[in-house]
Amino acid sequence: MRLFECGTLVPGCAWHTRAENDAEVVRRVVEHMRDTHGETVIRENMVDNIKARIVDEPKVESA
């Protein structure tokens, strides 16, 4: 799974999302940026900043 934490882009925001692929993560983040942070125009550099902050979700080891 791929993970994005909004606080890495917008300090203080605790929202996060995860999905199987980066394209779905970006789609969800763009929707969040519009709905929550009032971004009306998502420029290419914003998408690049989002992509740069998507990481592999850490694996949780079971006992």
Side-chain angles (χ1 to χ4, degrees):
M1 292 292 278
R2 301 289 282 160
L3 172 69
F4 174 86
E5 296 180 86
C6 191
T8 63
L9 187 61
V10 180
C13 184
W15 183 86
H16 63 277
T17 191
R18 59 182 55 85
E20 290 292 328
N21 59 64
D22 287 6
E24 179 61 17
V25 172
V26 170
R27 186 195 69 74
R28 292 177 186 181
V29 174
V30 167
E31 184 176 286
H32 169 74
M33 296 302 285
R34 287 186 173 130
D35 294 346
T36 303
H37 299 296
E39 295 291 334
T40 55
V41 176
I42 307 296
R43 292 187 165 75
E44 187 175 340
N45 70 326
M46 175 69 79
V47 174
D48 291 341
N49 285 330
I50 292 167
K51 288 178 179 178
R53 289 165 172 81
I54 299 172
V55 297
D56 285 322
E57 185 174 29
K59 301 254 189 257
V60 177
E61 305 260 344
S62 58

